[in-house]
Amino acid sequence: MHTVVERELELRLVLSPERSIAVPARLSYRSDDPYAVHVTFHVGSGHPVDWTFARELLVEGVFRPCGHGDVRVWPTKVAGRPVVLMALSSPDGDALLEAPAAQVSAWLERTLRAVPPGSEAGQLDLDAGLAELLAPSPRLSATPEQGGGAAAADDLWLNDPWPSDESGDGA
């Protein structure tokens, strides 16, 4: 059984140092995806905006600046109250979001109780996934009369799917 930890909260989209607007959001964590957090922003369109990034990044970002590239997170104070800032960057644009530190921290604490740090790999059924990847394909294990078997399997490995760089005309 998998655990889901969610929290609805209101973030602030920072437009300038003097101006921001409210953005309803949902923080989600699933024990079957133990390394990731999911943030869904409801931006007033028919389609919410979803971001997924490492839980560890958000945990660290509550205490000190971290991240680079598409997601950066750091703590600060705005008007004397503690907040967590998230800078998100994509080909569609950039956003700076301000989240109440106490609400984010309380939600993160629930995720850490659900799946303690260092135990994430135990949540993944890697053995079953590996067994599925290594299981013989029904097409390859068919009898030769069914068009499968060793000859069909050998054909898959012996045929070169990419043409040779060498020209047959000696040019």
Side-chain angles (χ1 to χ4, degrees):
M1 183 171 125
H2 296 290
T3 302
V4 176
V5 180
E6 292 188 323
R7 169 86 192 228
E8 298 280 338
L9 70 153
E10 186 176 280
L11 304 180
R12 306 291 303 172
L13 175 61
V14 178
L15 303 173
S16 73
E18 301 82 30
R19 187 161 182 255
S20 64
I21 58 173
V23 176
R26 177 186 303 121
L27 301 174
S28 297
Y29 177 79
R30 299 186 317 257
S31 63
D32 62 337
D33 189 8
Y35 292 105
V37 294
H38 306 271
V39 185
T40 302
F41 303 101
H42 304 283
V43 292
S45 70
H47 304 287
V49 176
D50 296 308
W51 276 79
T52 301
F53 51 90
R55 175 176 73 163
E56 185 177 326
L57 178 69
L58 190 55
V59 169
E60 186 175 337
V62 167
F63 298 103
R64 68 188 138 274
C66 66
H68 61 281
D70 295 345
V71 180
R72 293 175 292 127
V73 183
W74 66 97
T76 192
K77 289 190 177 190
V78 173
R81 55 188 181 84
V83 297
V84 176
L85 292 177
M86 292 182 280
L88 307 176
S89 180
S90 80
D92 295 327
D94 301 326
L96 178 61
L97 294 138
E98 176 186 304
Q103 292 178 17
V104 172
S105 295
W107 175 78
L108 280 170
E109 180 61 35
R110 290 175 46 213
T111 74
L112 296 169
R113 280 195 307 267
V115 179
S119 70
E120 294 92 347
Q123 298 295 313
L124 302 173
D125 195 357
L126 296 178
D127 290 335
L130 188 57
E132 184 179 331
L133 284 172
L134 297 176
S137 167
R139 188 173 77 88
L140 295 179
S141 58
T143 65
E145 295 80 29
Q146 296 170 317
D154 287 344
D155 287 346
L156 287 175
W157 295 106
L158 296 177
N159 291 335
D160 186 0
W162 293 278
S164 174
D165 289 339
E166 299 173 8
S167 171
D169 61 4

